[in-house]
Amino acid sequence: MSKKILSAVLAAAMTAMLAACGGSSTATTAAPAETKAEETKAEETKAEETKAEESKAEEAPAAELETVQKGKLVMVTNAEFPPYEFHDQNAIVGIDVEIAGAIAEQLGLELEIEDIAFDSIIPEIVSGKADIGAAGMTVTEDRKQNVDFSDTYAHATQVIIVKEDSEIKGVADLEGKIMGVQQGTTGDIYVSGDYGDAAVERYAKGMEAVQALAQGKVDAVVIDGEPAKQYIKEVEGLKIIDESYTDEDYAIAIKKGNTAMVEAVNAALAELKSEGKLDEIVAKYIQAEE
Ligand code: ARG
């Protein structure tokens, strides 16, 4: 407690004591009546508060939300994915980190982040080691077999990165080419599905796929649009082609059947959306295109 607050509290306590003693100073003469009025008021407010709390508890399961670690919201992510999650010196920052932070705050929990391989995120959620997977994760029917998803919070595309002088101008030109992807991502899943395993080189990090492209080890990289923009800023001689590969939506992954967590996260997300906070977070990391 700060000294200022402490002395204010002491002063208030002394006034109350004086009032209780029924001293004769002008300040205390009026006190009994006031105190009474205040008491009833206080009681009323208390009653109102309890009521408010009760109805709140009914609509917000967050009040009894069970988490993997008491008092914490454990988030698993793969912080190789700017601007959604990336390392800034020793910290992990980004859009997902801020969204998860705001959700944790609304739920009265402390956010804890675990940075793991992208394709370990769903297994960690399934085995109950983490409460949420927030990793620019695309909602897919296959993933829905293993985890539940929150409402979506971002729209995304898979784009194709090529060398500036590449002959690849669109999706149709990918036939017979070797594509670099981040292991386990939708880029990996779609490209493997469409062209077969032999056409795919998998990397642990998106940036590694991009470097392989620059070194001529692969002909193209299929990866999410926003990280793609960041990666090509750091590696010379690359471009994103206009035609995108897919459209998709990001959501937060939660253990299957944990409806309390899904509802709590959705309620918090809705609040962030309506307050304009979500847009604010996104605008901090993604500048509108000129
Ligand atoms: N949106 C893609 C997917 O869900 C890629 C996500 C990669 N995220 C990450 N943090 N590395 O598969």
Side-chain angles (χ1 to χ4, degrees), residues 189-211:
I189 296 162
Y190 300 147
V191 172
S192 317
D194 293 345
Y195 301 94
D197 271 350
V200 188
E201 280 298 329
R202 301 185 176 90
Y203 298 88
K205 304 175 181 179
M207 190 58 176
E208 286 170 7
V210 172
Q211 273 152 353

Side-chain angles (χ1 to χ4, degrees), residues 77-81 84-85 96 118 121 134-140 143 156 158 182 184-187 189 204 206 223-224 227 231 248-250:
T77 194
N78 169 246
E80 303 294 338
F81 198 69
Y84 286 92
E85 44 268 332
D96 287 332
F118 182 76
I121 294 175
M137 189 176 283
T138 305
V139 179
T140 71
R143 288 176 179 165
Q158 291 294 311
Q182 184 184 15
T185 61
T186 42
I189 296 162
I223 206 150
D224 301 55
Y231 297 144
E248 42 194 53
D249 290 298
Y250 294 165

Side-chain angles (χ1 to χ4, degrees), residues 37-53:
E38 254 161 42
E39 260 165 28
T40 15
K41 221 177 161 187
E43 258 162 37
E44 269 165 30
T45 331
K46 220 175 163 192
E48 260 165 43
E49 259 168 32
T50 324
K51 249 201 209 148
E53 253 162 44

Side-chain angles (χ1 to χ4, degrees), residues 99-231:
I99 290 176
I103 291 173
E105 197 182 315
Q106 289 204 29
L107 302 178
L109 299 166
E110 187 195 327
L111 181 68
E112 185 167 302
I113 303 173
E114 280 168 25
D115 182 21
I116 60 178
F118 182 76
D119 58 2
S120 298
I121 294 175
I122 290 185
E124 291 272 298
I125 296 287
V126 170
S127 65
K129 289 200 193 97
D131 299 300
I132 60 169
M137 189 176 283
T138 305
V139 179
T140 71
E141 288 309 314
D142 268 356
R143 288 176 179 165
K144 276 194 199 164
Q145 307 292 312
N146 299 311
V147 290
D148 285 340
F149 280 104
S150 71
D151 292 334
T152 61
Y153 62 88
H155 185 69
T157 55
Q158 291 294 311
V159 299
I160 303 162
I161 311 177
V162 292
K163 279 197 176 173
E164 257 158 15
D165 57 2
S166 172
E167 55 178 39
I168 300 170
K169 310 269 183 260
V171 179
D173 302 325
L174 292 177
E175 195 63 57
K177 299 288 191 295
I178 302 292
M179 269 85 67
V181 298
Q182 184 184 15
Q183 168 126 354
T185 61
T186 42
D188 181 3
I189 296 162
Y190 300 147
V191 172
S192 317
D194 293 345
Y195 301 94
D197 271 350
V200 188
E201 280 298 329
R202 301 185 176 90
Y203 298 88
K205 304 175 181 179
M207 190 58 176
E208 286 170 7
V210 172
Q211 273 152 353
L213 172 64
Q215 291 158 11
K217 292 183 184 153
V218 296
D219 302 308
V221 168
V222 177
I223 206 150
D224 301 55
E226 289 303 332
K229 286 187 208 160
Q230 306 286 328
Y231 297 144

